[in-house]
Amino acid sequence: MYGLIDCNNFFVSCERVFDPRLDGKKVVVLSNNDGCVIARSNEAKAAGIPMGCPAFKIKEYTNPHDVIQLSARHILYRDLSNRVMELLGDEVGNLQVYSVDEAFFRLPYEDVETSHRVMAEVVRKVKQYVGIPVSVGFAPSRTLAKIANHIAKKDKRITDGVYWLVRPEAIDIILRRTPIEDVWGIGRRLAYSLQSRGIKTAADFVRMPPSLVRSLYSVTLERTQRELMGHDCQIVNPVNIAHKTIMTSRTFGKIITSYDEIADAIVSFAEKTARQLRNEDSVAGSIMTYVRGDRFREDLPFYSNSCQLRLDTPSNDTMTIVQRALNALNNIWREGYAYRKAGVMALDIEHGGAIQLNLFDQVDHGKLRRLMTSIDGINDHYGTRSVKLAPGISRGQWAPSQSHLHTTSKTLQFMTLSRLPRKRDNKSGQ
DNA sequence: TCTGGGGTCCTAGGACCC
DNA sequence: TCTGGGGTCCTAGGACCC
């Protein structure tokens, strides 16, 4: 039996923790560049504003003056997420944090009554101590727990935030009411394809022969089907295991045409990527840089390209990674195009332990590591990018715009940021 | 005027080997 | 005219997730 605990309207709820005046209002949180909606309050959902809606299209759904639009503050959300998860970790065993706002866990007690009572209490505590409303769904598989959680949030008759989807008859009824596109693991393309075969609900899907699902689609979809039948077979990667790839990318606040500006952005992305590698005690085997134009501007010639380069020795050293990222940029840079987005990605990541040294490698790795540790320490103390590499010192014209930052943002300075420890073992999914 | 960022897994197809 | 078969590895691209 699986439980799924999920924060309600997470980013909006975080903003409300710091400003209760947002309660009861149509509130949305916007992505970088105040581009599109990435979180909505119940009131905003009721107004019909869809997830992912571009900010300038909000007026198609409701009077935009009634909608409070906020620029995302991910550091704040991460911090509140950590508090929620720490509290949950204390209450239930086997906590598997799946994303910033949700975590799976096993049934905390043998009997249903005790488990229910404990979880209702957890819901109350998280609200009281952290200020974030959460819901809990229980079911025989994670995919069904997702559905159960959704019901816990939506069904007005559920007052303590906990819903059980366990009895086969109940599961059957719910699956008949669940549109196929609402099933976890079935996105737009698959939903469209299944619908064209007459599969409209989760119940229709469950009745398909599994061998047909596998031959028409993939093992992944067959697993989803088996999950809906109540078999536990979904592989879930918790967030606190070390990454296989690390990416830093941004859509720029404006179109960029000069090499210097894009190089400045690449340097800062590479710095951030290297820093994250060190945080995870990992090294990258190769570095990829990509650039692309503005996909919405049909009046400009579009160019998009990427270049992946190996490192002589897997590394997490800022200078090495910045240099490689710039080498890659030089390979793909074309004068005369308008650039809107770029990114740096670390690949072929190895975690800790023995690192194969290149025979011809002249670099003193011990020295580099000490230098990086010093820089990280200074940046921790005085703020990100207090110390940075020379090419990265220009004014950052590429920086995304955030014109709707909430005025309580000073609060952040007084918050202690806590980090969940990252585990080494990639297979610790159970 | 204005359309995010950061991940994972699976599959098909090509290169290459014996 | 006729042009093996089976295996592995790698990569690009497509699908999904929050």
Side-chain angles (χ1 to χ4, degrees):
Chain A
M1 188 72 54
Y2 282 98
L4 170 62
I5 188 151
D6 191 308
C7 303
N8 306 347
N9 315 328
F10 184 54
F11 296 169
V12 169
S13 298
C14 290
E15 295 290 345
R16 281 177 171 169
V17 167
F18 291 96
D19 188 358
R21 288 173 299 178
L22 300 174
D23 287 353
K25 307 244 172 71
K26 293 176 200 164
V27 182
V28 299
V29 172
L30 301 174
S31 65
N32 231 333
N33 282 320
D34 301 323
C36 49
V37 171
I38 55 172
R40 305 160 294 161
S41 67
N42 284 342
E43 295 78 7
K45 287 178 189 172
I49 301 171
M51 189 67 169
C53 172
F56 69 91
K57 283 190 180 167
I58 288 176
K59 61 175 183 293
E60 291 177 16
Y61 302 94
T62 183
N63 181 354
H65 301 297
D66 291 348
V67 180
I68 299 171
Q69 304 178 30
L70 299 170
S71 300
R73 298 189 282 171
H74 290 286
I75 295 172
L76 167 68
Y77 310 149
R78 173 64 55 190
D79 187 69
L80 285 172
S81 168
N82 288 344
R83 292 176 192 210
V84 171
M85 298 307 171
E86 273 166 28
L87 212 160
L88 291 179
D90 292 343
E91 303 287 340
V92 301
N94 301 300
L95 193 71
Q96 201 183 2
V97 179
Y98 173 65
S99 75
V100 69
D101 73 333
E102 63 193 313
F104 291 102
F105 57 96
R106 300 279 194 173
L107 194 63
Y109 294 91
E110 283 296 316
D111 69 300
V112 166
E113 256 98 279
T114 315
S115 292
H116 191 114
R117 190 158 39 75
V118 168
M119 290 318 294
E121 180 62 13
V122 168
V123 169
R124 198 190 59 73
K125 273 188 188 169
V126 174
K127 176 71 185 154
Q128 182 184 347
Y129 298 145
V130 193
I132 300 288
V134 297
S135 304
V136 179
F138 280 107
S141 69
R142 293 181 180 91
T143 305
L144 286 172
K146 276 271 187 185
I147 295 175
N149 187 282
H150 189 72
I151 296 168
K153 282 189 172 61
K154 286 285 146 70
D155 195 323
K156 296 277 181 264
R157 290 168 296 182
I158 296 160
T159 50
D160 58 6
V162 184
Y163 181 75
W164 294 78
L165 185 56
V166 178
R167 286 176 22 249
E169 318 84 72
I171 293 177
D172 190 52
I173 292 170
I174 296 298
L175 290 189
R176 270 185 269 157
R177 289 182 198 159
T178 305
I180 189 67
E181 65 269 24
D182 287 358
V183 173
W184 189 42
I186 297 180
R188 240 189 33 231
R189 303 299 289 258
L190 283 172
Y192 180 80
S193 172
L194 287 164
Q195 283 158 353
S196 70
R197 292 174 189 279
I199 309 292
K200 310 286 184 199
T201 68
D204 295 339
F205 178 52
V206 162
R207 279 196 294 272
M208 277 180 82
S211 56
L212 186 65
V213 172
R214 188 178 191 139
S215 63
L216 285 176
Y217 300 97
S218 67
V219 291
T220 324
L221 195 63
E222 191 197 350
R223 273 204 285 265
T224 294
Q225 189 194 31
R226 291 171 53 76
E227 284 260 316
L228 289 173
M229 296 170 178
H231 306 295
D232 160 38
C233 52
Q234 201 61 268
I235 301 155
V236 162
N237 274 321
V239 295
N240 57 344
I241 62 168
H243 290 109
K244 296 175 180 174
T245 62
I246 291 172
M247 175 152 78
T248 307
S249 71
R250 289 290 177 279
T251 299
F252 306 133
K254 64 179 182 73
I255 293 273
I256 282 184
T257 51
S258 91
Y259 174 85
D260 287 348
E261 280 190 49
I262 210 154
D264 182 61
I266 293 297
V267 168
S268 106
F269 300 161
E271 281 179 346
K272 184 158 176 280
T273 303
R275 177 65 198 271
Q276 197 180 336
L277 284 166
R278 293 196 291 277
N279 281 344
E280 297 185 12
D281 195 16
S282 299
V283 289
S286 41
I287 296 297
M288 190 263 267
T289 295
Y290 78 91
V291 295
R292 63 178 308 162
D294 190 330
R295 60 200 171 110
F296 297 104
R297 289 283 293 271
E298 289 176 9
D299 55 322
L300 296 172
F302 183 80
Y303 172 66
S304 167
N305 206 350
S306 68
C307 174
Q308 184 179 339
L309 296 176
R310 282 204 172 279
L311 300 179
D312 298 332
T313 309
S315 172
N316 58 22
D317 156 54
T318 294
M319 280 181 278
T320 307
I321 286 170
V322 164
Q323 188 184 29
R324 233 39 196 147
L326 285 175
N327 291 153
L329 172 65
N330 294 339
N331 288 343
I332 54 176
W333 165 260
R334 299 280 180 280
E335 191 70 43
Y337 285 99
Y339 296 91
R340 190 67 207 286
K341 186 174 182 182
V344 171
M345 191 162 160
L347 306 98
D348 304 325
I349 290 176
E350 297 166 32
H351 305 294
I355 290 156
Q356 194 131 36
L357 286 181
N358 186 327
L359 204 59
F360 306 101
D361 205 335
Q362 301 294 316
V363 182
D364 180 343
H365 289 271
K367 219 175 202 173
L368 266 183
R369 202 173 311 121
R370 290 194 295 278
L371 175 60
M372 287 305 123
T373 308
S374 309
I375 291 179
D376 290 347
I378 293 169
N379 284 339
D380 275 345
H381 197 265
Y382 295 101
T384 311
R385 299 203 85 210
S386 297
V387 174
K388 52 199 169 187
L389 294 179
I393 56 174
S394 71
R395 284 170 35 250
Q397 295 289 316
W398 51 269
S401 53
Q402 286 185 301
S403 57
H404 299 285
L405 274 179
H406 199 287
T407 45
T408 59
S409 58
K410 279 194 184 304
T411 322
L412 277 181
Q413 295 170 9
F414 302 102
M415 297 179 63
T416 345
L417 299 181
S418 47
R419 286 199 190 87
L420 284 180
R422 282 189 175 270
K423 293 182 193 134
R424 260 308 122 48
D425 185 5
N426 271 319
K427 294 196 173 56
S428 65
Q430 288 77 41

